[in-house]
Amino acid sequence: EILLNSEVIAVNQDKLGKMGRRVQTGSSEIWARPLADGSVAVVLFSHSDSTPVTIKATFELIGLSAKQAVARDLFEHKDLGIYDTMFEAIVNPSGVVMVKLIPLM
């Protein structure tokens, strides 16, 4: 499914052409990539071996200047709702969550 996921492929082939960057390391990682439409693709990765962890990414950390954004889960193909100044998700052990944060004006 990952190889055929049109939403993930769209992030990979975004015309802005900026690389994603790791913005947090440690027991979890956060990666962020600005996209041509003004949104930001965010990957949350857990290094935990045994238990799910909550990973929080502030909009400031990922380079999103808006105060609110709609989160779209790119693996589950569903909108997660509106978030204020921060996105957070529970990530399974050695798991990944990938979202697109679309700023609200």
Side-chain angles (χ1 to χ4, degrees):
E1 163 151 346
I2 291 175
L3 294 177
L4 300 175
N5 186 324
S6 62
E7 293 182 89
V8 173
I9 291 169
V11 169
N12 176 265
Q13 297 179 354
D14 185 72
K15 65 183 176 179
L16 186 61
K18 290 201 173 184
M19 288 181 39
R21 67 194 196 310
R22 186 171 47 194
V23 296
Q24 178 178 297
T25 60
S27 61
S28 62
E29 291 183 24
I30 300 173
W31 290 73
R33 180 182 187 188
L35 302 174
D37 65 0
S39 61
V40 178
V42 179
V43 174
L44 309 176
F45 174 67
S46 169
H47 290 292
S48 171
D49 290 334
S50 58
T51 59
V53 295
T54 299
I55 301 176
K56 299 177 181 183
T58 66
F59 291 177
E60 181 179 6
L61 179 69
I62 62 169
L64 190 63
S65 59
K67 300 285 187 219
Q68 289 187 316
V70 173
R72 171 95 179 153
D73 188 313
L74 301 185
F75 292 145
E76 297 295 326
H77 307 289
K78 65 180 182 180
D79 291 332
L80 302 177
I82 297 173
Y83 288 78
D84 296 320
T85 69
M86 175 182 62
F87 174 77
E88 67 178 278
I90 298 171
V91 183
N92 287 326
S94 299
V96 174
V97 169
M98 184 174 185
V99 295
K100 180 177 178 181
L101 295 176
I102 305 155
L104 295 175
M105 298 301 163

